[in-house]
Amino acid sequence: MSVDHEIVLPCTFVIFGATGNLASNKLLPALYHLEVAARLSESLSIVAFARRPWSDEEWRTHMREVLGSKVKGSLDTPVFQRFIARFRYQQGDLNNVASYQALADRLPPESACSSTVFYLAIKPAEFSAVIHNLEAVGLNKPRGLNRVVIEKPFGEDIESARVLNQLLHQNFGEEQVYRIDHFLGKETVQNLLVFRFANTLIEPLWNRNFIDHVQITVAESIGIEKRADYYDRAGALRDMLQNHLMQLLTVVAMEPPPALEADALRDEKVKVLRSIRPIAKRAVHAHAIRAQYARGNVEGQPVLGYQEEENVEPNSITETYVAAKFYIDNWRWRGVPFYLRTGKRMKHQTSMIAIRFRHPPQQLFRETPLESIEPNWILLSIQPDESMRMEIHVKQPGLDMDTRMMQMNASFLKTDEETLDAYETLLLDVIEGDRSLFLRFDEVEWAWRVVDPILKHWTVERDYIPTYAAGSWGPADSNRLFDNDDQTWRNEL
Ligand code: BG6
């Protein structure tokens, strides 16, 4: 999309937390795919910063193991050799300023290269130490050129988000800050913009006159995967709903921006967030549900309950499932409920946006076998398949007036095409200085404001959390969010 023209291509990419989950699962594979696609400039080197006392060689062995299980095809190729040769390992402690001095000493001198990316692939609790220490050794400068990439959740509530933002701004200019929400890099999510704004067919239907309600589901079958030290503090509301699901909501609901450039898009997203009706204290129970997974079976395998996972606090009441209902009080959406839900250890991995249309205004088929006609849906699947389906009625051939529901499937991919993970797109954007798909602070702040009443309410109610069996679709109680009896969760495409 739009690139800041002053931007200088970085010659070093530093990953803080290089041995962690995020780096192994997402960043290293994505950087490797960019290498395969020949999108990394020859002069780019990558520094892996982590605590383990490893040599460059030990790091490379680790990387081979990590990538061996994550990328398709053999690693015995010149491309992999080129990729691995970009890396150096820097042993260091995030809290110790001397480690940053050692890092600075290994970076090329400013005269040779003036731009470095610092990727904070670490726990949110460690963000401020890194920002302080980068500043202490002068790595926040030169202003405008060095970039810092911050993962979500940005803060743990509205107040801490503001404090973190202030700290960032004391040390970096806004143009240096990339607040990442990787859902915005997913193909379907970007495609949603095209679907809505490049097809005149859709836009007239995209409002309260035709749409009954919207469901946004991000269900995962995985559990917390050794991330208890982070997850047990965060929970599903902070980990997923405040950021990923809220971003999906804004892309579904926003008005067409005047241009496809960073600030125009963000302005429209902020307008949506500002229009979300605040949830009153006494209404939290009616608008939000939390639950935690108990033992069960996922994809045929028995799995532990959340409280039995390694490093989870005994009797933890952290939610691994959250469902919530929001209303957007503007001309387009007034009265249309948006139901959002996400959970770990659910039946299948399914992420989708499901849009249900209203019933036809007249029961034209009352005297026929078709007494109650199912409404139309548009289903935008994000994971595991990326597709877009439209459900419409057609008449079954024959003498009677029977219909069947047809799915018109507009798969994004042709058979020989493969999609990239969101991180490829976003890392390339960081390198090329395109901030369109990154968050501005007011988006983050408004999203916190939306969920703040729920967070506050749950902080007080600390003695009990309902459970759901691992491998189910979450607690049955989540049906109580629906405004009408004919609304139910759509679990499958
Ligand atoms: C991350 C969350 O942001 O997104 C994880 O912290 C979650 O808990 C992950 O599993 C899901 O992203 P993806 O792209 O793997 O579906």
Side-chain angles (χ1 to χ4, degrees):
M1 292 186 216
S2 66
V3 175
D4 184 336
H5 291 293
E6 311 252 311
I7 222 80
V8 173
L9 285 184
C11 45
T12 317
F13 194 106
V14 179
I15 305 175
F16 289 111
T19 52
N21 259 327
L22 176 66
S24 304
N25 293 337
K26 303 282 192 184
L27 303 185
L28 295 176
L31 285 167
Y32 177 64
H33 289 142
L34 291 177
E35 181 80 85
V36 173
R39 297 301 290 266
L40 298 180
S41 80
E42 257 176 49
S43 55
L44 183 76
S45 60
I46 307 174
V47 178
F49 184 107
R51 193 189 288 265
R52 296 180 205 181
W54 281 350
S55 62
D56 283 354
E57 227 19 71
E58 285 168 306
W59 162 258
R60 289 187 178 143
T61 311
H62 164 78
M63 227 172 75
R64 188 177 267 280
E65 278 165 18
V66 165
L67 288 178
S69 62
K70 298 259 163 6
V71 303
K72 285 192 202 143
S74 156
L75 293 179
D76 292 322
T77 58
V79 176
F80 184 68
Q81 285 312 323
R82 192 167 70 230
F83 183 59
I84 213 160
R86 292 180 187 273
F87 280 83
R88 281 167 299 143
Y89 184 75
Q90 177 67 42
Q91 195 270 329
D93 175 350
L94 293 175
N95 294 307
N96 182 352
V97 73
S99 299
Y100 295 76
Q101 193 52 59
L103 171 67
D105 293 343
R106 285 187 82 178
L107 296 180
E110 221 180 295
S111 54
C113 170
S114 52
S115 174
T116 305
V117 172
F118 298 104
Y119 199 114
L120 276 54
I122 50 179
K123 282 184 283 185
E126 297 165 329
F127 289 163
S128 52
V130 176
I131 297 164
H132 276 301
N133 286 329
L134 285 174
E135 192 274 335
V137 299
L139 283 177
N140 55 332
K141 300 201 178 74
R143 282 182 95 86
L145 298 181
N146 285 355
R147 276 154 253 179
V148 54
V149 187
I150 301 253
E151 274 286 339
K152 42 99 333 216
F154 192 93
E156 53 183 41
D157 54 19
I158 194 163
E159 287 84 22
S160 57
R162 285 182 183 140
V163 172
L164 175 60
N165 202 49
Q166 233 171 15
L167 176 66
L168 268 171
H169 279 171
Q170 278 159 13
N171 300 298
F172 293 90
E174 175 62 18
E175 71 286 358
Q176 294 176 273
V177 179
Y178 289 70
R179 300 177 194 85
I180 195 165
D181 184 315
H182 77 279
F183 267 54
L184 289 180
K186 290 190 188 270
E187 202 72 53
T188 319
V189 180
Q190 292 187 54
N191 211 340
L192 184 54
L193 290 173
V194 177
F195 178 63
R196 287 196 54 203
F197 302 133
N199 295 303
T200 41
L201 179 77
I202 301 300
E203 194 48 26
L205 305 177
W206 211 255
N207 57 53
R208 61 196 297 270
N209 298 331
F210 297 95
I211 291 180
D212 177 79
H213 73 273
V214 176
Q215 295 184 17
I216 301 178
T217 297
V218 180
E220 296 183 281
S221 52
I222 55 169
I224 54 160
E225 299 194 302
K226 304 201 183 308
R227 293 164 75 212
D229 53 341
Y230 152 72
Y231 196 91
D232 205 34
R233 252 187 95 132
L237 184 69
R238 292 188 177 93
D239 184 50
M240 299 289 288
L241 192 131
Q242 184 270 347
N243 33 76
H244 300 327
L245 279 85
M246 219 31 108
Q247 283 296 321
L248 296 179
L249 177 146
T250 59
V251 180
V252 173
M254 70 196 261
E255 294 301 318
L260 212 51
E261 48 113 71
D263 274 326
L265 274 169
R266 293 148 155 195
D267 286 345
E268 296 306 332
K269 290 199 281 162
V270 169
K271 277 192 218 157
V272 173
L273 293 167
R274 294 181 70 149
S275 311
I276 294 181
R277 190 184 305 165
I279 299 177
K281 243 195 218 159
R282 61 177 188 291
V284 169
H285 182 71
H287 278 259
I289 286 165
R290 63 177 165 168
Q292 188 183 77
Y293 63 81
R295 279 180 185 208
N297 273 286
V298 178
E299 321 274 2
Q301 297 296 321
V303 296
L304 296 176
Y306 177 73
Q307 294 193 358
E308 300 163 298
E309 302 273 15
E310 200 182 320
N311 293 332
V312 166
E313 289 283 316
N315 305 322
S316 162
I317 57 139
T318 298
E319 79 285 355
T320 59
Y321 173 98
V322 53
K325 168 168 68 179
F326 299 104
Y327 292 96
I328 302 172
D329 283 342
N330 62 17
W331 274 54
R332 191 189 280 268
W333 295 115
R334 178 143 193 134
V336 177
F338 281 69
Y339 302 109
L340 275 50
R341 68 174 165 160
T342 181
K344 299 264 183 214
R345 285 283 186 235
M346 293 183 58
K347 194 171 171 89
H348 301 302
Q349 188 210 16
T350 314
S351 304
M352 69 172 169
I353 300 168
I355 291 143
R356 209 198 86 178
F357 284 78
R358 290 189 183 282
H359 287 283
Q362 193 188 1
Q363 284 296 332
L364 207 54
F365 298 97
R366 202 174 332 204
E367 307 300 324
T368 72
L370 272 182
E371 275 158 36
S372 81
I373 204 158
E374 289 294 311
N376 305 112
W377 290 82
I378 287 185
L379 305 166
L380 299 147
S381 163
I382 302 167
Q383 268 161 198
D385 322 306
E386 299 181 312
S387 69
M388 187 178 293
R389 296 175 195 211
M390 214 177 271
E391 286 185 349
I392 55 168
H393 293 277
V394 292
K395 183 182 172 301
Q396 290 203 34
L399 297 175
D400 293 325
M401 186 51 110
D402 278 330
T403 62
R404 59 176 167 233
M405 191 60 106
M406 282 266 306
Q407 279 202 340
M408 288 170 37
N409 188 352
S411 270
F412 302 164
L413 298 178
K414 296 189 183 148
T415 38
D416 57 342
E417 287 175 335
E418 276 187 37
T419 46
L420 291 175
D421 186 54
Y423 275 92
E424 279 87 350
T425 309
L426 296 174
L427 293 184
L428 198 59
D429 283 353
V430 172
I431 291 170
E432 294 180 346
D434 182 349
R435 293 188 300 134
S436 317
L437 295 177
F438 294 81
L439 308 185
R440 208 167 57 189
F441 182 63
D442 52 352
E443 284 180 74
V444 179
E445 193 177 25
W446 277 101
W448 277 122
R449 219 178 270 198
V450 170
V451 301
D452 201 53
I454 309 177
L455 271 179
K456 294 244 159 72
H457 191 78
W458 288 354
T459 318
V460 181
E461 284 191 350
R462 296 218 46 87
D463 29 292
Y464 171 74
I465 182 156
T467 55
Y468 58 99
S472 68
W473 281 110
D477 195 32
S478 63
N479 287 325
R480 72 170 159 78
L481 290 185
F482 291 114
D483 282 0
N484 292 320
D485 290 346
D486 75 338
Q487 296 174 341
T488 51
W489 290 113
R490 175 98 198 205
N491 293 331
E492 316 274 352
L493 279 179

